[in-house]
Amino acid sequence: MRFPEQPTDADTLLARLEALRDDDADWRAGRCFALVYSAGEAHDALLRRAHQALFSENGLNPMAFRSVRHMESDLVRMTADLLHAPPEAAGTVTSGGTESLLLAVLTQRNAAQARRRVKRPEIIAPTSIHVAVEKAAHLFGVRLRLAPLRADHTVDPEAVRRLINRRTVGLLASAPQYPHGVIDPIEALGRIAQAHGLPLHVDACIGGFMLPFIEALGHPLPRWDFRVPGVTSISADLHKYGYTAKGASVLLWQDTDWLRHQFFVSTEWPGGIYASPSLPGTRPAGPIAAAWAGVQALGREGYLDLMRDALEARDRIRDGLRGIEGIRVLGDPPGTLLAFTTSERSLDIYALADLLQARGWHFDRNQSPRSLHLTVMAVHRRTAGEFLSDVADGVERLRRDPSVRSSGTAPMYGMMARLPARGFVRGAVLDAMVGMYGPEPRDPMDSEPQGWMDRAVQKLGGPLLGAADRVGEVRDRLLGRTP
Ligand SMILES: Cc1ncc(COP(=O)(O)O)c(C=O)c1O
């Protein structure tokens, strides 16, 4: 596509835009177990109006747009109240969970460098921590030390303790973590953090606007928020279970002594003195306005209703999955995230994923253990029955026709999860991304698993294998198939 010479009229453009959306995931119909959180059409309409009202404003300069600063401050205070933060707590609205986590790590590092002159900083987090923490470590020159999980997928606090040394600048854990939906032992970690004088960040990006309402509905939960001594910061995403427009999360600190290490100030730039509270320069005001309106439009009562419905959907799906022979639900997560897998070797979970995807369901694929992830919301009450019957049909189909597992994307996912040479997987994914973002963008759905795998096997084992005719055999072994 060339740069347009002539203007195009609005109706034509909007019609083209709608046509482009034809193949998008159908979240309105409740077939998306990830990516989109909606509290219904009426609520979304309000979010759109509030977003629109501040469509042009820029949160970068709080002096020019005092309204944005006001709304941001309200959002921080409302979230602090919900999460039982002390009166001294302070924070910022960010563009999402990833930015909140990047800033949490950056601030832990900056504080330790300022207070203790730590040279080669390290942070400690469970292997299940959101990958944005790995991204933060990568970006900010911090070493990420991963602590293993216990059988229930929560982190082992003793393993965390053993990883602490004088270079440690902070601990992180999740409430709940994304892949399996369980809450890490925050109270035990808080004691460890306090004993070593370290900050503890709780990633409640997904739980921040979920767990408080589950607790209020009378379900017992382990403590995880600012009531736990030793918790110094929490991230909570408005654009997840806060049901607001995308581009809004809150990062809260126990007090401003922590928050000040998050800020960036430059005094020498020819363009003037520059101060920025978070990662971006220009900050869209729309998501802040939508969140400000959205949280108040629902209020505690609205969130409780939504959570009651989401829990009902979760129970129906979880119990229904447990009733399907060949399916196993992982553990018993306290929130509305679920992960399930197959309980028989011959049933490939990724092949089941392909069958479900072909019927329009959208969800994530976990690789450890191999399972499918569902983020359950109120909307899924409507579609729980249909989903369960599609899972049951899928299992039947896999039993009848085992060849399904060698078609579609299942072999590729299976191999990616199993391949010990992670460097190769990384290279292959990078290649795929370059294909998608390069000058002649490839459709993201265009994958040739078989060719991809054969190239992987050749690259990895070529020199050792010698003969090209063994490639297929090795590929089958890696896939767990008997040649
Ligand atoms: C626990 C947790 N933390 C952080 C994130 C990152 O959030 P975002 O995608 O808004 O950057 C997610 C996203 O799913 C999450 O589940």
Side-chain angles (χ1 to χ4, degrees):
M1 184 158 176
R2 308 290 302 264
F3 190 82
E5 296 300 332
Q6 304 298 326
T8 307
D9 68 275
D11 287 345
T12 308
L13 288 170
L14 291 172
R16 272 189 219 156
L17 183 144
E18 283 310 320
L20 284 172
R21 297 173 66 193
D22 273 355
D23 293 331
D24 285 355
D26 191 359
W27 59 269
R28 281 189 189 80
R31 302 183 83 80
C32 238
F33 286 102
L35 299 172
V36 178
Y37 297 75
S38 168
E41 196 37 57
H43 184 70
D44 287 353
L46 166 71
L47 298 183
R48 276 196 291 273
R49 283 174 65 190
H51 201 293
Q52 180 87 13
L54 276 97
F55 169 76
S56 304
E57 282 67 11
N58 189 340
L60 173 63
N61 187 338
M63 265 93 79
F65 299 111
R66 311 261 283 266
S67 62
V68 185
R69 180 66 211 111
H70 186 106
M71 287 187 260
E72 179 177 14
S73 165
D74 283 351
L75 281 166
V76 168
R77 296 265 53 93
M78 290 190 279
T79 310
D81 184 29
L82 184 68
L83 305 184
H84 303 98
E88 312 77 57
T92 51
V93 173
T94 71
S95 61
T98 297
E99 191 190 344
S100 288
L101 289 173
L102 294 180
L103 286 169
V105 173
L106 180 69
T107 307
Q108 290 186 342
R109 186 204 74 176
N110 290 351
Q113 283 176 337
R115 294 170 184 168
R116 300 195 272 129
R117 312 218 169 281
V118 175
K119 285 274 171 20
R120 279 174 290 151
E122 297 183 0
I123 50 171
I124 303 168
T127 54
S128 57
I129 197 81
H130 191 271
V131 65
V133 169
E134 184 183 336
K135 195 180 201 178
H138 167 75
L139 289 173
F140 304 138
V142 174
R143 178 177 176 201
L144 170 60
R145 311 214 47 188
L146 291 171
L149 308 182
R150 300 178 285 198
D152 65 358
H153 305 295
T154 63
V155 74
D156 176 1
E158 275 315 303
V160 171
R161 188 202 301 278
R162 281 196 295 275
L163 288 170
I164 295 176
N165 62 39
R166 64 200 157 71
R167 290 191 288 272
T168 309
V169 300
L171 313 180
L172 298 101
S174 319
Q177 41 96 308
Y178 185 78
H180 322 105
V182 294
I183 303 177
D184 284 318
I186 305 299
E187 291 182 293
L189 294 169
R191 285 191 291 275
I192 294 172
Q194 281 190 311
H196 291 82
L198 289 168
L200 168 63
H201 177 80
V202 178
D203 174 12
C205 281
I206 209 155
F209 292 86
M210 171 218 279
L211 299 177
F213 305 114
I214 294 184
E215 185 184 334
L217 288 171
H219 301 278
L221 288 179
R223 289 258 158 122
W224 62 273
D225 61 15
F226 281 109
R227 285 171 290 183
V228 177
V231 169
T232 39
S233 55
I234 298 182
S235 46
D237 288 2
L238 291 155
H239 67 196
K240 294 199 172 75
Y241 282 96
Y243 294 106
T244 74
K246 283 189 183 37
S249 164
V250 174
L251 174 58
L252 268 177
W253 291 95
Q254 193 181 52
D255 54 44
T256 48
D257 286 349
W258 286 105
L259 177 66
R260 68 184 297 117
H261 293 285
Q262 179 186 310
F263 295 159
F264 174 79
V265 178
S266 170
T267 54
E268 303 309 315
W269 186 43
I273 292 178
Y274 183 97
S276 145
S278 52
L279 292 180
T282 292
R283 296 172 79 206
I288 295 178
W292 182 84
V295 170
Q296 296 177 85
L298 288 171
R300 210 178 282 271
E301 248 175 56
Y303 282 109
L304 285 173
D305 287 344
L306 284 163
M307 192 39 72
R308 211 177 276 114
D309 290 352
L311 286 173
E312 192 187 315
R314 176 207 64 183
D315 288 352
R316 278 194 6 218
I317 294 174
R318 182 197 57 203
D319 298 347
L321 287 170
R322 282 182 182 151
I324 299 173
E325 207 184 316
I327 292 292
R328 181 167 67 84
V329 175
L330 301 187
D332 196 8
T336 46
L337 308 183
L338 281 179
F340 69 98
T341 188
T342 48
S343 53
E344 294 165 29
R345 250 196 91 119
S346 58
L347 298 174
D348 185 310
I349 188 67
Y350 297 138
L352 179 63
D354 282 348
L355 294 176
L356 290 169
Q357 203 170 320
R359 293 195 175 184
W361 299 102
H362 192 91
F363 41 77
D364 280 331
R365 290 159 166 86
N366 286 332
Q367 59 175 345
S368 175
R370 290 154 53 96
S371 49
L372 306 185
H373 167 102
L374 305 179
T375 297
V376 180
M377 283 160 259
V379 63
H380 297 122
R381 265 187 331 163
R382 269 198 282 132
T383 50
E386 201 187 335
F387 179 70
L388 291 168
S389 100
D390 282 353
V391 173
D393 281 359
V395 168
E396 270 318 298
R397 167 101 195 270
L398 288 178
R399 284 194 208 287
R400 271 200 323 271
D401 180 7
S403 73
V404 174
R405 61 187 286 210
S406 30
S407 58
T409 65
M412 183 178 68
Y413 280 107
M415 181 152 163
M416 289 222 254
R418 280 206 189 107
L419 208 60
R422 306 310 289 169
F424 182 80
V425 174
R426 187 169 180 277
V429 174
L430 277 175
D431 287 349
M433 286 179 75
V434 170
M436 237 186 281
Y437 289 91
E440 282 173 44
R442 238 182 281 145
D443 190 296
M445 300 307 282
D446 273 356
S447 62
E448 349 141 18
Q450 213 76 353
W452 181 90
M453 283 187 301
D454 287 354
R455 282 198 300 280
V457 172
Q458 247 157 353
K459 201 156 177 173
L460 271 176
L464 289 174
L465 290 169
D469 57 2
R470 290 199 56 209
V471 166
E473 182 193 321
V474 174
R475 180 221 309 137
D476 287 344
R477 273 231 177 97
L478 281 164
L479 289 175
R481 290 192 208 132
T482 325

